[in-house]
């Protein structure tokens, strides 16, 4: 509540005061959306009618104050629930709510760096593409983030994202403190020491435990890396990775794998790319190169969507030419890549991401199980990246309950009922294969997994939902993920 409104309410007093206060609050509600307004997410497959769109403010305090009347009316059953949305790069309605309210968190974009402590305080709606240049200007870089720069901090923390930083748990491990607007309209600070339960629930909590107004995250000095690459059979990848990255004193700070998308040798071969610091470059302030637009790389990548020859060419170039083209590069410029560089611009199809987490020793088993599934369903697979994710001890809904490899798969899907049906069948079979290998699937993508699969992949799910109902008994925060798996 703003000072002026609080004073006004106190002056009114009594029952009449409460009635007048409700009128005053109603005047402060965000406008309703027009009946035909549809919001969508990065999949382009979730056109969603909403009751209205509320906007955050740059200031966490003003945002909390602005939302208080709406949250109060939702809790009183006078308005439908609210979903929190960041850049809406999730793909299954996690940031949307059919016929409900949606909070656009993007304006919450303040940021301040404490170089001495290596900490950044950043608004929940700030985008990595704005954060990276701010860090870069002072010789700093993100500790953990996704592979692209298009996402908000709130979205990153709410899915508990991971990147391709070697030897690191997901991003939750880098968070010192959260400022959360909870269902009862309170602003709550949480950290490992304060409101620790809520802290673990909100990290990877998909916006169901409150609005992340602000976060304090650990950052680290920027540095220049030199890359090196090795090609191997996929079965040998876990041992090669451990020898290179986990060896005591290993200098590797960023590492990824790619698996063959050549249809004749699907998943049989892997490339391991490692990035090690160039001496005496840590912490130096260096210009951030202009954002890439793709050029020839984009052409080869997208050409793979057209057929088997394009995929074979893509893999050959990845294996043979990639290492020759790669040169020394700063941590920030590796992380500052926009997703648009490789994005699908064709009408009639959309790019759909999948990710499966498997215990590291089971990578080969999962690859063997996934190959016939993708062939049978004619999955149009453009890319598979392998990420190293160390055990997560922070998020209540952890996907990395032991050291995992995450296999990020990029498919092109026809935007038709038949395309959707085929994708659902393939996803369910791949989820079973991941569970069979002792792993799980990632939740920001399409919600094709069955409720039974979700509970097998995430044994903590029912407990987390029970905690959600305890922290939010009136159902203020809801979204497509909750509707799909907690209400069905
Ligand atoms: C091209 C592409 C590449 C990707 N690469 C990676 C990757 O390398 N690693 C990885 O881990 N993931 C990756 N992802 C998944 C991505 O990390 C998530 O979809 C992430 O949530 C996107 O952030 P966003 O700002 O778009 O969030 P949204 O999609 O807007 O929201 C995601 C969830 O966060 C909640 N949320 C958003 N903001 C807030 C807030 N302020 N407070 C509370 N809750 C909030 C929403 O309610 C929703 O449940 C990728 C996705 C795409 C499309």
């Amino acid at each position: 509540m703003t000072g002026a409104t609080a004073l006004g309410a106190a002056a009114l007093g009594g029952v009449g005061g409460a009635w007048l206060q409700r009128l005053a609050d109603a005047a402060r509600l965000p406008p309703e959306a027009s009946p035909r307004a549809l919001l969508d997410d990065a999949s382009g497959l979730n056109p969603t009618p909403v009751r209205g769109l509320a906007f955050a403010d740059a200031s966490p305090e003003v945002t909390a104050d602005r939302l208080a009347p709406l949250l109060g009316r939702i809790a009183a059953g006078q308005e439908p629930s609210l979903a929190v949305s960041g850049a809406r790069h999730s793909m299954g309605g996690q940031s949307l709510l059919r016929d409900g309210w949606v909070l656009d968190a993007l304006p919450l974009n303040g940021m301040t760096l404490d170089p001495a402590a290596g900490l950044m305080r950043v608004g929940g709606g700030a985008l990595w593409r704005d954060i990276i240049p701010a860090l870069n200007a002072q010789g700093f870089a993100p500790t953990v983030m996704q592979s692209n720069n298009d996402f908000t901090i709130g979205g990153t923390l709410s899915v508990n994202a991971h990147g391709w930083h070697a030897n690191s748990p997901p991003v939750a491990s880098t968070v010192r403190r959260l400022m959360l607007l909870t269902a009862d309209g309170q602003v709550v600070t949480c950290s490992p020491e304060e409101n620790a339960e809520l802290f673990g629930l909100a990290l990877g909590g998909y916006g169901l435990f409150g609005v992340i107004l602000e976060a304090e995250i650990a950052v680290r000095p920027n540095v220049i890396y030199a890359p090196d690459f090795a090609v191997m059979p996929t079965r040998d990848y876990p041992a090669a990775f451990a020898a290179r990255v986990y060896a005591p004193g290993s200098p590797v700070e960023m590492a990824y794998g790619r698996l063959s998308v050549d249809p004749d040798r699907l998943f049989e071969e892997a490339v391991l790319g490692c990035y090690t610091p160039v001496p005496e470059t840590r912490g130096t302030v260096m210009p951030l190169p202009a954002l890439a637009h793709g050029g020839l790389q984009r052409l080869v990548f997208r050409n793979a969507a057209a057929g088997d020859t394009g995929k074979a060419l893509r893999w050959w170039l990845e294996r043979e030419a990639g290492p020759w083209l790669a040169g020394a590069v700063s941590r920030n410029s590796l992380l500052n890549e926009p997703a648009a560089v490789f994005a699908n611009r064709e009408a009639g199809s959309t790019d759909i991401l999948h990710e499966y987490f498997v215990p590291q020793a089971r990578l080969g088993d999962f690859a063997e199980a996934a190959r016939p599934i993708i062939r049978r369903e004619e999955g149009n697979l453009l890319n598979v990246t392998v990420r190293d994710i160390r055990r997560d001890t922070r998020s209540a809904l952890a996907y990395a309950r032991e050291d995992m490899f995450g296999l990020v798969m990029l498919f092109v899907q026809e935007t038709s009922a038949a395309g959707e049906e085929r994708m659902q069948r393939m996803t369910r079979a791949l989820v079973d294969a991941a569970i069979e290998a002792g792993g799980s699937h990632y939740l920001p993508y399409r919600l094709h997994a069955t409720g039974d699969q979700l509970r097998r992949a995430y044994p903590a799910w029912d407990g987390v939902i029970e905690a959600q109902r305890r922290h939010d008994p009136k159902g203020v925060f809801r979204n497509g993920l909750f509707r799909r798996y907690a209400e069905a």
Side-chain angles (χ1 to χ4, degrees):
M1 194 179 282
T2 60
T5 323
L7 270 180
L12 291 167
V15 176
W19 181 78
L20 281 173
Q21 180 61 53
R22 271 204 302 279
L23 264 188
D25 282 351
R28 295 171 62 219
L29 287 181
E32 289 172 23
S34 90
R36 283 200 301 264
L38 295 176
L39 296 182
D40 210 333
D41 58 27
S43 68
L45 298 174
N46 282 310
T48 305
V50 297
R51 165 85 162 173
L53 194 58
F55 289 91
D57 183 85
S59 146
E61 292 78 15
V62 174
T63 300
D65 183 43
R66 186 181 283 176
L67 286 176
L70 179 60
L71 299 188
R73 284 176 67 95
I74 297 171
Q78 293 158 338
E79 289 291 334
S81 306
L82 174 95
V84 189
S85 95
R88 267 189 249 138
H89 272 75
S90 45
M91 295 183 162
Q94 293 85 346
S95 63
L96 297 169
L97 184 65
R98 179 166 288 272
D99 299 324
W101 286 96
V102 171
L103 171 68
D104 183 330
L106 290 177
L108 266 170
N109 60 2
M111 55 190 92
T112 45
L113 175 67
D114 178 348
L119 288 175
M120 185 177 230
R121 183 176 292 188
V122 56
L127 294 160
W128 287 105
R129 67 164 166 262
D130 297 322
I131 297 169
I132 293 172
L135 288 172
N136 192 66
Q138 297 198 57
F140 280 85
T143 304
V144 173
M145 61 171 280
Q146 299 92 329
S147 55
N148 298 105
N149 68 1
D150 311 70
F151 315 108
T152 61
I153 283 287
T156 301
L157 302 185
S158 298
V159 304
N160 193 16
H162 61 84
W164 53 286
H165 319 277
N167 225 335
S168 168
V171 71
S173 62
T174 70
V175 182
R176 298 299 152 92
R177 192 186 61 88
L178 291 178
M179 188 197 278
L180 209 60
L181 174 64
T182 53
D184 55 4
Q186 300 298 308
V187 176
V188 173
T189 299
C190 40
S191 70
E193 295 79 34
E194 198 179 351
N195 297 308
E197 191 215 18
L198 196 53
F199 187 63
L201 288 163
L203 293 168
Y206 287 84
L208 293 167
F209 293 89
V211 182
I212 297 175
L213 297 171
E214 192 178 87
E216 211 169 84
I217 54 171
V219 295
R220 52 186 288 166
N222 194 19
V223 65
I224 293 185
Y225 292 127
D228 62 79
F229 298 88
V231 183
M232 65 206 67
T234 299
R235 281 259 165 219
D236 296 345
Y237 186 89
F241 188 92
R244 185 82 176 84
V245 177
Y246 297 158
S250 165
V252 177
E253 293 189 359
M254 306 276 293
Y256 67 84
R258 287 253 161 79
L259 301 189
S260 166
V261 290
D262 177 346
D264 290 337
R265 290 183 296 163
L266 189 64
F267 296 163
E268 283 174 16
E269 246 180 356
V271 170
L272 168 60
C274 293
Y275 287 74
T276 49
V278 173
E280 290 170 34
T281 60
R282 204 180 291 280
T284 51
V285 177
M286 52 200 116
L288 200 52
L291 290 181
H293 293 290
L296 187 61
Q297 248 185 320
R298 176 185 161 81
L299 204 69
V300 171
F301 192 87
R302 292 310 321 180
N303 184 46
D308 290 359
T309 316
K311 290 183 174 64
L313 172 68
R314 157 85 216 292
W315 180 248
W316 184 81
L317 287 170
E318 177 86 43
R319 209 186 48 190
E320 305 295 334
W324 292 104
L325 295 174
V329 61
S330 78
R331 183 178 179 92
N332 279 334
S333 51
L334 284 175
L335 295 173
N336 201 31
E337 184 171 274
V341 172
F342 295 112
N344 190 352
R345 295 177 195 150
E346 300 290 319
S349 70
T350 183
D351 284 0
I352 294 298
L353 279 162
H354 294 211
E355 185 164 4
Y356 302 98
F357 304 104
V358 292
Q360 298 195 342
R362 303 294 304 274
L363 177 74
D365 297 341
F366 177 74
E368 303 272 306
R371 184 183 302 124
I373 296 169
I374 293 168
R375 283 185 174 150
R376 186 177 69 226
E377 300 298 344
E378 296 173 10
N380 192 353
L381 179 63
L382 294 197
N383 191 48
V384 184
T385 313
V386 185
R387 313 286 181 79
D388 156 42
I389 307 150
R390 304 307 296 259
R391 188 164 81 94
D392 172 11
T393 53
R394 221 169 229 188
S395 168
L397 197 61
Y399 49 80
R401 294 184 295 280
E402 58 186 288
D403 294 344
M404 294 282 185
F405 283 133
L407 285 90
V408 184
M409 301 182 181
L410 179 69
F411 290 95
V412 180
Q413 177 188 330
E414 269 176 38
T415 46
S416 64
E420 182 71 351
E421 208 178 293
R422 209 166 35 238
M423 185 59 90
Q424 184 188 74
R425 231 177 15 239
M426 184 175 73
T427 308
R428 288 182 177 174
L430 290 169
V431 171
D432 271 342
I435 294 171
E436 182 63 29
S440 56
H441 60 292
Y442 200 21
L443 298 180
Y445 301 133
R446 303 286 294 151
L447 303 178
H448 289 316
T450 65
D452 174 60
Q453 287 181 315
L454 175 90
R455 286 170 175 83
R456 283 191 287 139
Y458 290 86
W461 174 260
D462 285 325
V464 166
I465 293 304
E466 187 272 320
Q468 201 283 335
R469 295 190 201 277
R470 183 160 36 85
H471 285 278
D472 179 8
K474 310 281 189 200
V476 170
F477 296 113
R478 292 288 180 262
N479 59 34
L481 181 73
F482 189 97
R483 288 267 149 92
R484 170 79 177 89
Y485 295 114
E487 287 179 350

